[in-house]
Amino acid sequence: MEGKAFFIDTTLCTGCRGCQIACKQWNELPATKTENWGSFQNPKDLSFYTYKLVRFSEDIGDDGKPVWYFFPDQCRHCVDPPCKEIPEDPNAIIVDELTGAVLYTDKLKKVNSEDVQEACPYNIPRAQPGTGYIAKCTMCVDRVHNGLLPACVKTCPTGAMNFGDRDKMVSLAKKRLAEVKGKFPKATLSGIEDTRVFYLLADEPAKYHEYAQATIIPGGIDRKMALKRIAKPLKELSKEWQLLHKLAS
Amino acid sequence: MTNHWIDIRNSDCILIMGSNAAENHPISFKWVTEAMKRGGKLISVDPRFTRTSSKADFFTPLRSGTDIAFLGGMIKYVIENKKYFKEYLAEYTNAAFIVADKFDFKDGLFSGYDPKTRTYNKSTWAFEKDENGNPSKDRTLQDPRCVFQLLRKHFSRYDLDTVSSVTGTPKEDLVKVYKMYSATGEKGMAGTIMYAMGWTQHTVGVQNIRTMAIIQLLLGNMGVAGGGVNALRGESNVQGSTDHCILYHIWPGYLKTPKASQASLSDYNAKYTPKTNDPLSANWWGNYPKYSVSLLKSFFGRKATNANDFGYNWLPKLDDGKAYSWLDIFDEMYKGNFKGFFAWGQNPASSGANANKTRQALAKLDWLVNVNIFDNETGSFWKGPGMDPKRIKTEVFMLPCAVSVEKEGSITNSGRWMQWRYKATEPRGDSRPDGDIMTDLFKKVRYLYRRDQNAVFPEPILNLKWNYTTNRRFDAHKMAKEINGYFLRDITVKGKSFKKGDLVPSFAYLQADGSTSSANWLYCNSYTNKGNMAARRTREKSGIGLNLEWSWCWPVNRRIIYNRASVDKYGNPWDKEHPVIRWNGSKWVGDVPDGGWPPMLKPDGTPNPKTKYPFIMKPEGHARVFGPGRADGPFPEHYEPLECPVEKNLFSSRVINPTAPIYKTDMDAYRTCDPRYPFVCTTYRVSEHWQTGVMTRWQPWLLETQPQLFVEMSPELAMLRGVKNGEKVIVESARGKVKAVALVTKRFRPFTIQGTVVHQVGLPWHFGWVYPKDGGDSANLLTPSTGDPNTRIPETKAFMVNVKKI
């Protein structure tokens, strides 16, 4: 498959937040006012001003010792992005030809942001309070087009963040999965089938984040996508009807 | 570090203890990750499950302040299970030395203790001498008075039950760690320790490190790739600052600060120049006078001559038996004995232990100069909480200084690598580089001294050489060259001829007769006729990561020190896959060898009289398992922290370190085993903030990630106090209190210590009242004014507190 992809190896991530802050710096996003709500995780959630968020979760492992999981959350840049189906205007959300990056435009101001957020299996898009613009990770497409790595990848000290041609990232992800299986028998790769951001997780995805993995219903597509696939022919049908109606009048 | 950052990737087993490297040295984790990819194991031992622990192959907790108990158990395990590297131990360390009869240890005290002064007379901590005046040795390690047998005896009390009861670490976990780590005693295997303030900031700080050094010597891990004793320094250039002696007890290059009783230069040199009768001992400190005289020539230039002892008496001396450390400075300041104070690039009102005492001490000054980038709790102490500016007479000056990227110079990292840095941009507004501020200050002081006929003792000021400016601005290159050193006249040394004004190529050429200068002998070789070695940027193409042409390190660019111990007596590396040096028949190849002398044995197995023992910085040439130089004992011993949760020390009847410094003003309160302060407390850092937060609290992106002071506690303790996660609480000690957000986490579990449940909590010390207003104040308001007897570093890692709902 063409285009680029991220491979995020959470077995190497130390939750340092270098990626979270590099993203803010490159995109010149403001900091928001936060308070310590009982976790290292801050801000508490993604927002119009926070495209990349390291999520922290704690548990007790099978050996009775604590585990602390770090999940550098971001837009998955789906190969076939469900969010793209929501706006009427096909150019409100663009898929970049070179990289496959899913890019939001200001045309989204006209779209109900809740619908866009609902459509996303990973709960990523966030609206600006008051204006309705929607924003998320851009894959640093401006950097990538100029031969640079995305800011978060460039910053990562441990090699948790990787980026490159999708095929190469798929190979790397599979290689790392094989390497860690002995130490982490429950290890999986999330998102490798249909997105451009795959996560190597040492444990069950739900232990990292509710949306670490898209919820799947039998048939292999998720509820939201299923609803849309059904809705789509109706929409197209409605256009045909309108055309016929017009011709008829 | 004896080794360096990149070398960590060569390790078979990394113990991270007294450090949270993934958190506070995140870039170092790249090398830990690499070691693990190559099959190395990571062990994390910490009171709390940290970001480092989350990546470790094995984690186990221990109560803050019990590291010697934990490691002492490892020494016992290594000895009993014969995991030690016998040949290395017998040949390269003083394990074989016979200790003199009068040395003894009984019930927590070594021989020579004076309870009145609370210090040791160390004369009994000595070796038996043979007919040549050298230590007697038993290389079979069987003599009951040899160091090895005394070590075995000393740590025989550190059995699993006792260690577990003191540390709170489960017995099976102790065994697992001991087994994993001691596997590196195998020839060809290497284990390394990465430690930081979690070990140093205790009343037994230096002995914590000594315990690990002994383990590393037992296992043959010194001088080898992937081994060593590796301190993760707490600041990017603190290694540089200690190398250049910005501490009261040392002169640049770890020379000693003279004492009042050393009236002349020859008295001083005689005192600190060790002697040996063993021709096989290089005894490198035997060159001491060359380094001290060269330093004096750098200070005073032409004014320093043989006739005036090279200006020796123009320098301040320490009163015998008196300490002038950080804790002592603020103690004297609080007593009103200081008129003025330069808080230069630091924030003592938040960074020093017992911060309330420090803040009150500042109010006793006539004047304070705060040189810093941002406003902070020190410069603004007079308007802090509880302060009434109307009653404070201190005149405060804020001098804005340039940031590191606004000036050129060098930084020396934990691995001793001196890396040159360039100026990226001009300083903002009126802020100026420290070198310019110091130069102008000095010039003005000198002018005032010149002008005043009645100036008292003007020589040190008027005779100080200061030719480090270009166009009236401080010139880092001129200073770097002075640090390296010059020949001050035409001279021939070791058959090579040099001209006056030539840069000295290495410290082997420095002289004691005033013909050379060097402002730091350790850095001699860093800026030579070949250029600024610290500015080199060539990566190695292959090898074990030495990168001999990237920057420069001391001494003489030797990347792994004590590397003569990485080979057998024929000069063949113990570890063939990661050789540090190797004798090729006529010379050493690889790293800069720790002396070019040939191996100890000739190819036919006979001793080579031209050789030297590997540990060249010790007068006996052998590494010290028995260490007679420390203030609190030649062997480490577990003592409880000054404030501790138990009445008894299970290892002896001495509860605390018998030589730990204690202060006696009304601001110095200590409460041990007191039900009002029932919980063990420690302080630490987070990735997102830096030191007292002077720079990082003003950075919005960083503050967003860690906005407020928090206290981490177990769910059990939270339940005990009725506290919910995210709720604000008060943490208080005998000295002060702070408001913090409770972070209730399973990463802290209660300990069972001597049969009782003991809770521990921890706080980061990054916050201060100046900004943000809701961020919280310094955790150092809680910490005690006591510390290590050798270094006086404060014991901020183990003390007692209470936690209360608001």
Coordinates of all heavy atoms in Angstrom, one line a residue, chain B residues 484-542:
Chain B
N484 N 43.5 24.4 29.9 CA 44.4 23.4 29.3 C 45.8 23.6 29.9 O 46.5 22.7 30.4 CB 44.4 23.4 27.8 CG 45.4 22.4 27.2 OD1 45.1 21.2 27.1 ND2 46.6 22.8 27.0
G485 N 46.3 24.8 29.7 CA 47.6 25.2 30.2 C 48.7 25.5 29.2 O 48.6 25.1 28.0
Y486 N 49.7 26.3 29.6 CA 50.7 26.8 28.7 C 52.1 26.5 29.2 O 52.3 26.3 30.4 CB 50.7 28.3 28.5 CG 49.4 28.9 27.9 CD1 48.3 29.3 28.6 CD2 49.4 29.0 26.5 CE1 47.2 29.8 28.0 CE2 48.3 29.5 25.8 CZ 47.2 30.0 26.6 OH 46.1 30.5 26.0
F487 N 53.1 26.4 28.3 CA 54.5 26.5 28.8 C 54.8 27.9 28.9 O 54.5 28.7 28.0 CB 55.4 25.8 27.7 CG 55.2 24.3 27.6 CD1 54.5 23.7 26.6 CD2 55.8 23.5 28.6 CE1 54.4 22.3 26.6 CE2 55.7 22.1 28.6 CZ 54.9 21.6 27.6
L488 N 55.4 28.3 30.1 CA 55.7 29.7 30.3 C 57.1 30.1 30.0 O 57.5 31.3 30.1 CB 55.4 30.0 31.8 CG 54.0 29.6 32.2 CD1 53.8 29.7 33.7 CD2 53.0 30.4 31.5
R489 N 57.9 29.1 29.5 CA 59.2 29.4 29.0 C 59.6 28.3 28.1 O 58.9 27.2 28.1 CB 60.2 29.6 30.1 CG 60.4 28.5 31.0 CD 61.7 28.7 31.9 NE 62.1 27.4 32.5 CZ 61.7 27.1 33.7 NH1 61.0 27.9 34.5 NH2 62.1 26.0 34.3
D490 N 60.6 28.5 27.3 CA 61.1 27.5 26.4 C 61.6 26.3 27.3 O 62.3 26.6 28.3 CB 62.3 28.0 25.5 CG 61.9 29.0 24.5 OD1 60.7 29.3 24.5 OD2 62.7 29.6 23.8
I491 N 61.3 25.1 26.9 CA 61.6 24.0 27.8 C 61.6 22.7 27.1 O 60.9 22.6 26.0 CB 60.6 24.0 29.0 CG1 61.1 23.0 30.1 CG2 59.2 23.5 28.5 CD1 60.1 23.0 31.3
T492 N 62.4 21.8 27.5 CA 62.4 20.4 26.9 C 61.9 19.4 28.0 O 62.5 19.4 29.1 CB 63.8 20.0 26.4 OG1 64.2 20.9 25.4 CG2 63.7 18.6 25.8
V493 N 60.8 18.7 27.7 CA 60.3 17.7 28.6 C 60.2 16.4 27.9 O 59.7 16.3 26.8 CB 58.9 18.1 29.1 CG1 58.4 17.2 30.2 CG2 58.9 19.6 29.7
K494 N 60.6 15.3 28.6 CA 60.6 14.0 28.0 C 61.1 14.0 26.6 O 60.6 13.3 25.7 CB 59.1 13.5 28.0 CG 58.4 13.3 29.3 CD 57.0 12.9 29.0 CE 56.1 12.9 30.2 NZ 56.3 11.8 31.1
G495 N 62.2 14.7 26.4 CA 62.8 14.7 25.1 C 62.2 15.5 24.0 O 62.6 15.6 22.9
K496 N 61.0 16.2 24.4 CA 60.4 17.1 23.4 C 60.6 18.5 23.8 O 60.5 18.9 24.9 CB 58.9 16.8 23.3 CG 58.5 15.4 22.6 CD 57.1 15.1 22.7 CE 56.3 15.8 21.5 NZ 55.0 15.2 21.4
S497 N 60.8 19.4 22.8 CA 61.1 20.8 23.0 C 59.8 21.6 22.8 O 59.1 21.4 21.8 CB 62.2 21.3 22.1 OG 63.4 20.7 22.5
F498 N 59.6 22.5 23.7 CA 58.4 23.4 23.6 C 58.9 24.9 23.7 O 59.8 25.2 24.4 CB 57.4 23.1 24.7 CG 56.9 21.7 24.6 CD1 57.5 20.7 25.4 CD2 55.8 21.4 23.7 CE1 57.0 19.4 25.3 CE2 55.4 20.1 23.7 CZ 56.0 19.1 24.4
K499 N 58.1 25.7 23.1 CA 58.4 27.2 23.2 C 57.5 27.8 24.2 O 56.3 27.4 24.4 CB 58.2 27.8 21.8 CG 59.2 27.3 20.8 CD 59.7 28.5 20.0 CE 61.2 28.4 19.6 NZ 62.1 28.0 20.6
K500 N 57.9 28.9 24.7 CA 57.1 29.7 25.6 C 55.8 30.1 24.9 O 55.8 30.5 23.7 CB 57.8 31.0 26.0 CG 57.0 32.0 26.8 CD 57.8 33.2 27.2 CE 56.9 34.2 27.9 NZ 57.7 35.3 28.4
G501 N 54.7 29.9 25.5 CA 53.4 30.2 24.9 C 52.7 29.0 24.2 O 51.6 29.1 23.8
D502 N 53.5 27.9 24.1 CA 52.8 26.7 23.5 C 51.8 26.1 24.5 O 52.0 26.2 25.7 CB 53.9 25.6 23.2 CG 54.7 25.8 22.0 OD1 54.3 26.7 21.2 OD2 55.7 25.1 21.8
L503 N 50.7 25.6 23.9 CA 49.8 24.9 24.8 C 50.4 23.5 25.2 O 51.0 22.9 24.4 CB 48.4 24.7 24.0 CG 47.7 26.0 23.8 CD1 46.7 25.8 22.6 CD2 46.9 26.4 25.1
V504 N 50.2 23.2 26.5 CA 50.7 21.9 27.0 C 49.9 20.7 26.4 O 48.7 20.8 26.4 CB 50.6 21.9 28.5 CG1 51.2 20.6 29.0 CG2 51.3 23.1 29.1
P505 N 50.6 19.7 25.8 CA 49.8 18.7 25.1 C 49.1 17.7 26.1 O 48.0 17.2 25.7 CB 50.8 17.9 24.3 CG 52.2 18.3 24.9 CD 52.0 19.6 25.6
S506 N 49.6 17.5 27.3 CA 48.9 16.7 28.2 C 49.5 16.9 29.6 O 50.6 17.4 29.7 CB 48.9 15.2 27.9 OG 50.0 14.6 28.5
F507 N 48.8 16.5 30.6 CA 49.3 16.7 32.0 C 50.6 16.0 32.3 O 51.2 16.3 33.3 CB 48.2 16.4 33.1 CG 47.5 15.1 33.0 CD1 48.2 13.9 33.2 CD2 46.2 15.0 32.6 CE1 47.6 12.7 33.2 CE2 45.5 13.7 32.6 CZ 46.3 12.6 32.8
A508 N 50.9 15.1 31.5 CA 52.2 14.4 31.7 C 53.4 15.4 31.6 O 54.5 15.1 32.0 CB 52.4 13.2 30.7
Y509 N 53.1 16.5 31.0 CA 54.2 17.5 30.7 C 54.2 18.6 31.8 O 55.0 19.5 31.7 CB 54.1 18.1 29.3 CG 54.4 17.0 28.3 CD1 53.3 16.2 27.8 CD2 55.6 16.9 27.7 CE1 53.6 15.2 26.8 CE2 55.9 15.9 26.8 CZ 54.9 15.1 26.3 OH 55.2 14.2 25.4
L510 N 53.2 18.7 32.7 CA 53.1 19.8 33.6 C 54.3 19.6 34.6 O 54.7 18.5 35.0 CB 51.8 19.8 34.3 CG 50.6 20.1 33.5 CD1 49.3 20.0 34.2 CD2 50.7 21.5 32.9
Q511 N 54.7 20.8 35.1 CA 55.9 20.8 36.0 C 55.6 21.5 37.3 O 54.6 22.3 37.4 CB 57.0 21.7 35.3 CG 57.4 21.1 34.0 CD 58.0 19.7 34.1 OE1 58.9 19.5 34.9 NE2 57.5 18.8 33.3
A512 N 56.4 21.2 38.3 CA 56.2 21.8 39.7 C 57.1 23.0 39.9 O 57.1 23.5 41.0 CB 56.4 20.7 40.7
D513 N 57.8 23.4 38.9 CA 58.8 24.5 39.1 C 58.3 25.8 38.6 O 59.1 26.8 38.5 CB 60.1 24.1 38.5 CG 60.0 24.0 37.0 OD1 58.9 24.2 36.4 OD2 61.0 23.6 36.3
G514 N 57.1 26.0 38.2 CA 56.6 27.2 37.8 C 56.8 27.5 36.3 O 56.5 28.5 35.7
S515 N 57.2 26.4 35.5 CA 57.4 26.6 34.1 C 56.2 26.3 33.3 O 56.1 26.5 32.1 CB 58.6 25.7 33.6 OG 58.3 24.4 33.9
T516 N 55.1 25.8 34.0 CA 53.9 25.6 33.2 C 52.7 26.1 34.0 O 52.8 26.3 35.3 CB 53.6 24.0 33.1 OG1 53.6 23.4 34.3 CG2 54.7 23.4 32.2
S517 N 51.6 26.4 33.3 CA 50.4 26.8 34.0 C 49.3 25.9 33.5 O 49.4 25.3 32.4 CB 50.0 28.2 33.6 OG 49.7 28.3 32.2
S518 N 48.3 25.6 34.4 CA 47.1 24.9 33.9 C 46.0 25.1 35.0 O 46.2 24.8 36.2 CB 47.4 23.4 33.8 OG 46.2 22.7 33.6
A519 N 44.9 25.7 34.5 CA 43.9 26.0 35.5 C 43.0 24.8 35.9 O 42.1 24.9 36.7 CB 43.0 27.1 34.9
N520 N 43.4 23.6 35.3 CA 42.7 22.4 35.7 C 43.5 21.2 35.0 O 43.3 21.0 33.9 CB 41.3 22.3 35.3 CG 40.5 21.2 36.0 OD1 41.1 20.1 36.2 ND2 39.3 21.3 36.3
W521 N 44.4 20.6 35.8 CA 45.2 19.6 35.2 C 44.5 18.5 34.5 O 44.9 17.9 33.5 CB 46.2 19.0 36.2 CG 45.5 18.1 37.2 CD1 44.9 18.4 38.4 CD2 45.4 16.6 37.1 NE1 44.4 17.3 39.0 CE2 44.7 16.2 38.2 CE3 45.9 15.7 36.2 CZ2 44.4 14.8 38.4 CZ3 45.6 14.4 36.4 CH2 44.9 13.9 37.5
L522 N 43.3 18.2 35.0 CA 42.5 17.1 34.4 C 42.1 17.4 33.0 O 41.8 16.5 32.2 CB 41.2 16.9 35.2 CG 41.2 15.9 36.3 CD1 39.7 15.8 36.8 CD2 41.6 14.5 35.8
Y523 N 42.0 18.7 32.7 CA 41.5 19.1 31.4 C 42.7 19.5 30.5 O 42.5 20.0 29.3 CB 40.6 20.4 31.5 CG 39.2 20.0 31.8 CD1 38.9 19.5 33.1 CD2 38.2 20.1 30.9 CE1 37.6 19.2 33.5 CE2 36.9 19.8 31.2 CZ 36.6 19.3 32.5 OH 35.3 19.0 32.8
C524 N 43.9 19.2 31.0 CA 45.1 19.4 30.1 C 45.1 18.4 29.0 O 45.1 17.2 29.3 CB 46.4 19.3 31.0 SG 47.9 19.8 30.1
N525 N 45.1 18.8 27.8 CA 44.9 17.9 26.6 C 43.7 18.3 25.8 O 43.4 17.8 24.7 CB 45.0 16.4 27.0 CG 44.8 15.5 25.8 OD1 43.9 14.7 25.7 ND2 45.8 15.5 24.9
S526 N 42.8 19.2 26.4 CA 41.6 19.5 25.8 C 41.6 20.6 24.8 O 40.8 20.7 23.9 CB 40.5 19.9 26.9 OG 40.9 21.1 27.6
Y527 N 42.6 21.5 24.9 CA 42.8 22.6 23.9 C 44.3 22.7 23.6 O 45.0 23.3 24.4 CB 42.2 23.9 24.5 CG 41.7 24.8 23.5 CD1 40.4 25.4 23.7 CD2 42.4 25.2 22.3 CE1 39.9 26.4 22.8 CE2 41.9 26.1 21.4 CZ 40.6 26.7 21.6 OH 40.1 27.6 20.7
T528 N 44.7 22.1 22.6 CA 46.2 22.0 22.3 C 46.5 22.7 21.0 O 45.6 23.3 20.3 CB 46.6 20.6 22.3 OG1 45.9 19.9 21.1 CG2 46.2 19.8 23.5
N529 N 47.7 22.5 20.5 CA 48.1 23.0 19.2 C 47.3 22.3 18.1 O 47.2 22.9 17.0 CB 49.6 22.8 19.0 CG 50.4 23.7 19.9 OD1 49.9 24.7 20.4 ND2 51.6 23.3 20.2
K530 N 46.7 21.2 18.4 CA 45.8 20.6 17.4 C 44.4 21.2 17.4 O 43.6 20.9 16.5 CB 45.6 19.1 17.8 CG 46.9 18.3 17.7 CD 46.6 16.8 17.6 CE 47.8 16.0 17.9 NZ 47.6 14.9 18.8
G531 N 44.2 22.1 18.3 CA 42.9 22.8 18.3 C 42.0 22.5 19.5 O 42.4 22.0 20.5
N532 N 40.8 22.9 19.4 CA 39.8 22.8 20.4 C 39.2 21.4 20.4 O 38.3 21.1 19.6 CB 38.7 23.9 20.3 CG 37.6 23.8 21.4 OD1 37.7 23.0 22.3 ND2 36.7 24.8 21.3
M533 N 39.8 20.5 21.2 CA 39.3 19.1 21.1 C 37.9 18.9 21.4 O 37.2 18.0 20.9 CB 40.2 18.2 22.0 CG 41.7 18.3 21.7 SD 42.1 17.3 20.2 CE 42.4 18.6 19.1
A534 N 37.3 19.8 22.3 CA 35.9 19.6 22.7 C 35.0 19.9 21.6 O 33.8 19.6 21.7 CB 35.7 20.6 23.9
A535 N 35.5 20.5 20.5 CA 34.6 20.9 19.4 C 34.5 19.8 18.3 O 33.8 20.0 17.3 CB 35.0 22.2 18.8
R536 N 35.3 18.8 18.5 CA 35.3 17.7 17.4 C 34.0 17.0 17.3 O 33.3 16.8 18.3 CB 36.4 16.7 17.8 CG 37.8 17.3 17.8 CD 38.9 16.3 18.1 NE 38.6 15.6 19.3 CZ 39.2 14.5 19.6 NH1 40.1 14.0 18.8 NH2 39.0 13.9 20.8
R537 N 33.6 16.6 16.1 CA 32.3 16.0 15.9 C 32.4 14.8 14.9 O 31.5 14.7 14.0 CB 31.3 17.0 15.4 CG 30.9 18.1 16.4 CD 30.1 17.5 17.6 NE 29.6 18.5 18.5 CZ 30.3 18.8 19.6 NH1 31.5 18.3 19.9 NH2 29.8 19.7 20.4
T538 N 33.4 14.0 15.0 CA 33.4 12.8 14.1 C 32.9 11.6 14.9 O 33.5 11.2 15.9 CB 34.9 12.6 13.6 OG1 35.3 13.8 13.0 CG2 34.9 11.5 12.6
R539 N 31.9 10.9 14.3 CA 31.4 9.7 14.9 C 32.3 8.5 14.6 O 32.8 8.5 13.5 CB 30.0 9.4 14.4 CG 28.9 10.2 15.0 CD 27.6 9.7 14.3 NE 26.6 10.8 14.3 CZ 25.6 11.0 15.1 NH1 25.4 10.1 16.0 NH2 24.8 12.0 15.0
E540 N 32.3 7.5 15.4 CA 33.1 6.3 15.1 C 32.3 5.5 14.1 O 31.0 5.6 14.1 CB 33.4 5.5 16.3 CG 32.2 4.7 16.9 CD 32.6 3.9 18.1 OE1 33.6 4.2 18.7 OE2 31.8 3.0 18.4
K541 N 33.0 4.8 13.2 CA 32.2 4.0 12.2 C 31.9 2.6 12.8 O 30.9 2.0 12.3 CB 33.1 3.9 10.9 CG 33.3 5.2 10.2 CD 33.8 5.0 8.8 CE 34.1 6.3 8.0 NZ 35.0 7.2 8.8
S542 N 32.7 2.2 13.7 CA 32.4 0.9 14.3 C 33.1 0.8 15.6 O 33.9 1.6 15.9 CB 32.9 -0.3 13.4 OG 34.3 -0.2 13.4

